[in-house]
Amino acid sequence: MCGIVGYTGDKKAIDIVVDGLRRLEYRGYDSAGVALTNGEGKPLLVEKRAGKLGNLESALDSRFGSSHSGIGHTRWATHGGPTDSNAHPHLSDDGKLAVIHNGIIENYVELKKELLAKGHAFSSETDTESVAHLLGDAFKENGGDLAEAMRMVCKRLRGSFTLLAVHSDDPKRIVGARRNSPLVVGVGKGENFLASDVAAFISSTKSAMELGQDQVVIVTPSDVTVTDLDGKKVEAKSYEITWDAAAAERGGFQHFMLKEIFEQPKAIADTLLGRIEESGKVSLPELESMADALATDVDRILILACGTAFHAGLIGKYAIEAWAGIACDVELASEFRYRRPVLDPRTLVVTISQSGETMDTLMALRHAKSLGAKALSICNTHGSTIPRESDAVIYTHGGPEIAVASTKALLTQVIALHLFALYLGQVSQGTSGKPSSASSKNSRSTLSASEAKKIGSELLGLPSKVEQVLETVEALREMTRGFKDATSVLFLGRHVGFPSALEGALKLKELAYMHAEGFAGGELKHGPIALIENGTPVIAIMPPLGSEIREKMASNIQEVKARGAHVIVIADTATDIPATDFAIRVPATDELLQPILSIVPLQVFAYEMALVRGNDVDQPRNLAKSVTVE
Ligand code: AGP
């Protein structure tokens, strides 16, 4: 939930750190701060301010230009409000050591009591300040070894943390540590970087190193060393970042969210690339290691995710059940953890996460694995924690998603689930994925070769169909402005249209700060229809021609219209629709693929509503891009 950056090298550290924080501001923007070293034994240069990064920048004076090493933090408040004193970094008593933190120290109260009893003075309400004092004491006790101090302190901490620390006695060294919270190393020439996310340093280097649980990293301008908490050296995994810096910039769009909406055709195409043929044959080499298990040892899929990723799971469930004939449940990760789930080795848990760092999803994954389940992750962020702790991963190739509101991640997650559903049907033959046919004796797939072929070609046709939807964006934005004073908007859908309605409602809530609710059409008469009054805006998602629920959805539209609702229908071009106030037309496609097209107008609707309401589209209030606390 916070952005963390560290730099040590020969450049002006303040420039690198502030630029990195700007690229990570989407992770949290309640306050920001920096701590730079300024030569051996010289006092640290520390500045921190509540509010957005600009507040900090205006407080930085020329002294900060002389440093070549330091750390920076942009905060999403957990313990203690967004004030100057609660902003990171936090200092040891002597002011010589500074630390920044992402995560939650669950045992900070007892640690703080112990430190207060030892005479330490506290100047903030944060959990992090206890770490600063512990590190200061450990540094003194072990004769000035910052890395050893970090290892000693981490052994005492419970909860999640990414920590970076600097000490004025050791000005070129930065020491970091992570548990359940992201930290990546950027490896440069004569300089090195540390950050929550590669976006912070991608313009300087594409060589990265991922860190595992309970590992400590020590960086100087010329060296990167990784150890475990006992000080034993560890070989960290290096990788090359495939994104380029431009991809992480806005590219001329007013907001990252609009850019990412328009990137969806390419994101879908990149996620499909090399994975499906016209015949419908799917190849997912990343699943080869579990192909046999999928064929014979799995009889239940359990999808665990949060927010928009959860909605992707709800949509994908229909394809898994329809095309692979396997039971599939979808559950909120934050709920799964706290019930006594009945899992066994024949259950495959599939986590879905754009960031790969969502704490609720990570903890649910661990819980499921502890119960013996195999784990597959669908993720958009290489080297992140959730894929690293899964048995296999299907990466969506959506590119960096910077806006807090998830758009292209959702569509590519659904595409990955569609590929997985087809793959599940194919491997059941124990073959290298020949197109499934219901006639195959041991095929789990319900699809004939021609049906698989039709779905394959529909999937490959989606990028251009999304392009067609994007051509209607201006009209959509115009229509949306007519609803800017609405106090509530209802979203109605059936079958795969129901999770689409849930996603439309979530987008509107998180962007326009409006009350919005998604309903299953069949549930309307069981209560929610009482909400309908004259002028209530209702967005209804019409199933395609030939759907067995088309007539029922048409009746739902009539029912709400008869009670005064102002109805906007999203329907494909082949479907006739009841007379409504506004029709949004999308290209026709297979019923299970329709959400890929019908959700795009819902994204644009929420985007425009946020704009007309003067909200911060890319960084909505109270939210952060990656929720790395429970
Ligand atoms: C969606 O627009 C939100 N940003 C949020 O619901 C998000 O989908 C959720 O926090 C899950 O994030 P993840 O995909 O990174 O795990």
Side-chain angles (χ1 to χ4, degrees):
M1 301 274 259
C2 304
I4 279 194
V5 180
Y7 173 77
T8 182
D10 53 5
K11 297 191 180 73
K12 275 172 68 176
I14 193 62
D15 294 345
I16 305 274
V17 169
V18 168
D19 179 58
L21 290 180
R22 187 172 296 108
R23 294 164 188 268
L24 296 184
E25 207 177 4
Y26 65 88
R27 297 175 64 87
Y29 28 88
D30 291 332
S31 63
V34 294
L36 308 183
T37 59
N38 193 24
E40 187 152 349
K42 288 192 179 168
L44 294 178
L45 301 168
V46 179
E47 192 54 78
K48 53 187 189 174
R49 282 286 188 280
K52 294 215 167 165
L53 186 55
N55 293 358
L56 171 69
E57 289 182 275
S58 54
L60 297 171
D61 61 36
S62 57
R63 291 176 303 139
F64 287 80
S66 58
S67 169
H68 301 289
S69 178
I71 55 181
H73 183 273
T74 180
R75 182 176 183 238
W76 188 83
T78 52
H79 292 71
T83 61
D84 290 357
S85 59
N86 287 333
H88 299 208
H90 291 285
L91 306 180
S92 55
D93 284 338
D94 60 12
K96 292 185 170 185
L97 182 146
V99 66
I100 56 178
H101 167 224
N102 177 23
I104 288 182
I105 305 300
E106 291 177 352
N107 59 329
Y108 88 95
V109 173
E110 62 196 75
L111 294 170
K112 185 168 182 176
K113 272 196 197 122
E114 176 196 310
L115 290 159
L116 286 167
K118 286 169 73 175
H120 287 279
F122 279 74
S123 59
S124 81
E125 306 153 281
T126 67
D127 52 342
T128 309
E129 191 178 358
S130 298
V131 178
H133 293 304
L134 288 171
L135 282 171
D137 288 354
F139 185 84
K140 286 182 191 141
E141 282 158 30
N142 72 29
D145 180 337
L146 188 56
E148 186 49 30
M150 183 64 84
R151 287 189 283 264
M152 286 165 66
V153 169
C154 286
K155 285 177 182 170
R156 299 199 58 196
L157 303 181
R158 286 201 312 275
S160 61
F161 54 79
T162 302
L163 296 167
L164 293 188
V166 291
H167 196 287
S168 57
D169 290 355
D170 196 354
K172 290 188 179 302
R173 189 182 306 270
I174 304 175
V175 175
R178 69 165 295 272
R179 178 189 296 160
N180 297 337
S181 182
L183 180 61
V184 285
V185 183
V187 182
K189 291 186 175 53
E191 59 183 9
N192 287 306
F193 307 78
L194 289 164
S196 323
D197 177 324
V198 297
F201 53 71
I202 194 171
S203 54
S204 301
T205 179
K206 292 193 175 182
S207 299
M209 201 180 270
E210 63 182 43
L211 298 172
Q213 279 286 75
D214 282 340
Q215 289 184 350
V216 170
V217 60
I218 304 101
V219 297
T220 63
S222 57
D223 187 54
V224 177
T225 305
V226 180
T227 75
D228 61 18
L229 293 189
D230 296 323
K232 184 165 162 289
K233 277 201 176 180
V234 171
E235 203 52 47
K237 186 177 160 201
S238 299
Y239 63 99
E240 286 303 306
I241 303 161
T242 53
W243 301 342
D244 58 35
E249 295 307 323
R250 265 205 303 274
F253 285 88
Q254 189 182 355
H255 298 100
F256 276 112
M257 183 181 174
L258 193 60
K259 171 174 178 269
E260 289 150 15
I261 287 173
F262 275 85
E263 284 177 336
Q264 293 183 120
K266 182 177 185 311
I268 293 169
D270 290 349
T271 301
L272 287 168
L273 190 63
R275 289 170 159 172
I276 187 161
E277 296 170 13
E278 283 287 346
S279 65
K281 178 193 164 203
V282 168
S283 53
L284 291 171
E286 55 269 57
L287 301 190
E288 279 312 303
S289 63
M290 63 163 49
D292 291 344
L294 291 175
T296 56
D297 303 341
V298 169
D299 52 24
R300 181 184 173 224
I301 304 277
L302 173 60
I303 296 173
L304 300 174
C306 301
T308 285
F310 171 69
H311 297 153
L314 289 174
I315 294 168
K317 162 194 168 80
Y318 289 86
I320 289 169
E321 292 180 335
W323 299 345
I326 189 166
C328 179
D329 296 307
V330 187
E331 191 164 346
L332 288 170
S334 55
E335 285 298 309
F336 169 79
R337 272 197 76 201
Y338 297 103
R339 62 179 185 80
R340 298 176 65 83
V342 178
L343 291 189
D344 63 29
R346 296 187 65 77
T347 300
L348 174 70
V349 161
V350 178
T351 55
I352 306 174
S353 176
Q354 188 286 132
S355 63
E357 299 298 346
T358 298
M359 189 55 68
D360 288 323
T361 308
L362 174 61
M363 292 305 172
L365 165 63
R366 288 183 180 162
H367 189 48
K369 289 193 75 174
S370 71
L371 299 172
K374 286 177 276 300
L376 167 66
S377 72
I378 292 175
C379 185
N380 190 48
T381 308
H382 284 249
S384 56
T385 305
I386 291 172
R388 268 215 314 282
E389 298 199 11
S390 301
D391 300 310
V393 52
I394 299 175
Y395 280 112
T396 53
H397 299 305
E401 186 177 75
I402 307 299
V404 167
S406 198
T407 51
K408 62 181 181 175
L410 168 81
L411 297 197
T412 53
Q413 287 160 359
V414 172
I415 293 292
L417 286 163
H418 286 155
L419 289 169
F420 179 58
L422 291 170
Y423 182 83
L424 268 180
Q426 289 168 9
V427 290
S428 60
Q429 291 170 324
T431 66
S432 55
K434 282 202 310 274
S436 310
S437 78
S439 58
S440 310
K441 60 185 182 317
N442 64 346
S443 166
R444 177 192 282 141
S445 170
T446 64
L447 298 172
S448 66
S450 62
E451 286 167 333
K453 182 171 170 24
K454 183 172 180 303
I455 289 168
S457 113
E458 279 299 326
L459 279 168
L460 289 166
L462 284 175
S464 65
K465 290 186 174 180
V466 172
E467 287 286 6
Q468 291 173 46
V469 178
L470 293 174
E471 281 158 18
T472 68
V473 161
E474 278 324 303
L476 254 174
R477 292 180 63 176
E478 182 61 36
M479 177 273 291
T480 303
R481 288 193 271 274
F483 292 96
K484 74 179 177 62
D485 300 322
T487 53
S488 169
V489 178
L490 307 184
F491 295 77
L492 218 44
R494 283 178 175 255
H495 196 264
V496 286
F498 172 38
S500 304
L502 294 176
E503 174 61 13
L506 174 63
K507 283 282 147 317
L508 202 60
K509 282 182 251 191
E510 66 177 329
L511 286 158
Y513 313 154
M514 286 170 79
H515 172 260
E517 208 160 333
F519 295 109
E523 272 300 288
L524 205 55
K525 292 189 287 294
H526 300 288
I529 200 164
L531 286 171
I532 305 297
E533 52 195 23
N534 202 32
T536 304
V538 175
I539 298 182
I541 299 164
M542 196 68 188
L545 215 52
S547 165
E548 60 182 340
I549 49 166
R550 217 178 63 75
E551 294 311 318
K552 290 195 173 49
M553 194 63 210
S555 307
N556 286 148
I557 291 170
Q558 300 294 8
E559 286 153 12
V560 296
K561 266 202 79 57
R563 288 160 180 81
H566 194 147
V567 181
I568 303 161
V569 173
I570 297 176
D572 70 34
T573 45
T575 301
D576 57 348
I577 54 176
T580 54
D581 303 271
F582 199 93
I584 298 170
R585 291 290 185 173
V586 298
T589 187
D590 182 276
E591 181 164 18
L592 299 192
L593 306 187
Q594 192 194 42
I596 296 286
L597 303 174
S598 53
I599 285 176
V600 175
L602 302 180
Q603 295 167 343
V604 175
F605 185 84
Y607 170 81
E608 189 62 25
M609 197 70 91
L611 220 50
V612 294
R613 287 176 158 235
N615 296 348
D616 186 333
V617 172
D618 285 333
Q619 298 175 355
R621 70 183 182 195
N622 307 339
L623 294 177
K625 181 61 182 172
S626 179
V627 183
T628 54
V629 290
E630 287 183 280

